[in-house]
Amino acid sequence: MKKILKKLFGDIALTWPRLIIFAIIMGVYTAVMAMFVPDGNSFHDIAVTPEWWVLPAILIIVNCKKPLEAALKTFVFFLISQPLVYLIQVPFSSMGWSLFGYYPYWFKVTMLTFPGAFIGWYIKKDKWYSGLILSVMTVFLALTGIAYISGFGEYFPDHLISVIYCFSVITVFIFAILKSKKSRLITGVVTIIAAIIYTILSII
């Protein structure tokens, strides 16, 4: 398992052709999930909310040698995959080209990936600030997972796999990307504190 994680998080030769193929695969997969999996199901979530896209983005970032490369490749990945999701669905949807009305949200996400991936590349440095940078993603995943859990009373077990995914990826990020105890501690503490505050505010 350690060898697999080491390979995935830093030892992949992520050439441009491979990146483009990866983007196409993700776009096609997401379109299929959007068309054939009912809304409210974990496998449909990838077509609606960003949490399932965090892992692919991080995989691209940590397999780049420079921050600008990470920014460019992550941006292009989203620039290809997201429009493709809708393009594939158009011929099969009653909405037709109107489906692209949902794209502006994902275009904003795509634009944010450039500066986000540039800064995110520094998680590879494994310094104290690496833990702080990574915590942006782990906090997002934690809050998303908690939000899904809070709705279990109405739609359990919908989104259960998404919850498991969110918290599993947090663990993998902390132990597969970060090596120093300090950076791991920072990410863990920030994530836990944010999760506790969010939970308390949700209850109040």
Side-chain angles (χ1 to χ4, degrees):
M1 180 60 73
K2 287 184 178 180
K3 290 183 178 180
I4 295 174
L5 290 176
K6 183 180 179 182
K7 179 69 176 179
L8 288 174
F9 292 93
D11 285 345
I12 296 176
L14 189 62
T15 61
W16 279 103
R18 288 181 178 180
L19 176 84
I20 293 171
I21 292 171
F22 184 31
I24 293 172
I25 290 173
M26 287 298 298
V28 172
Y29 171 77
T30 304
V32 170
M33 294 299 104
M35 289 188 290
F36 299 109
V37 177
D39 191 12
N41 185 282
S42 290
F43 292 103
H44 187 89
D45 289 340
I46 193 172
V48 181
T49 47
E51 71 275 1
W52 282 91
W53 292 90
V54 172
L55 179 56
I58 292 294
L59 286 174
I60 293 169
I61 291 169
V62 297
N63 282 290
C64 291
K65 296 180 179 180
K66 299 289 183 181
L68 182 58
E69 178 191 0
L72 287 169
K73 285 184 175 178
T74 307
F75 175 73
V76 170
F77 171 79
F78 278 84
L79 195 62
I80 294 173
S81 59
Q82 292 305 326
L84 188 59
V85 172
Y86 299 101
L87 188 62
I88 292 173
Q89 295 182 71
V90 166
F92 308 100
S93 173
S94 59
M95 291 182 66
W97 291 101
S98 297
L99 270 173
F100 273 88
Y102 294 104
Y103 179 61
Y105 168 79
W106 288 102
F107 181 70
K108 292 175 183 177
V109 172
T110 299
M111 296 300 293
L112 289 172
T113 61
F114 190 92
F118 189 97
I119 297 171
W121 182 85
Y122 288 91
I123 61 178
K124 295 181 62 174
K125 293 294 185 179
D126 203 29
K127 303 294 184 180
W128 68 268
Y129 55 80
S130 302
L132 199 59
I133 293 170
L134 184 61
S135 68
V136 174
M137 287 295 95
T138 56
V139 167
F140 170 70
L141 289 169
L143 300 191
T144 301
I146 292 171
Y148 281 139
I149 291 173
S150 66
F152 274 176
E154 298 178 13
Y155 49 72
F156 185 84
D158 291 350
H159 304 295
L160 177 60
I161 295 176
S162 288
V163 171
I164 295 172
Y165 159 83
C166 286
F167 291 104
S168 297
V169 170
I170 290 172
T171 305
V172 170
F173 281 176
I174 292 175
F175 291 99
I177 298 174
L178 303 175
K179 300 297 185 295
S180 70
K181 291 182 179 179
K182 182 180 290 187
S183 58
R184 287 176 175 175
L185 182 63
I186 289 173
T187 302
V189 169
V190 171
T191 304
I192 291 172
I193 291 175
I196 291 173
I197 293 174
Y198 179 78
T199 302
I200 293 173
L201 292 176
S202 299
I203 295 173
I204 296 176

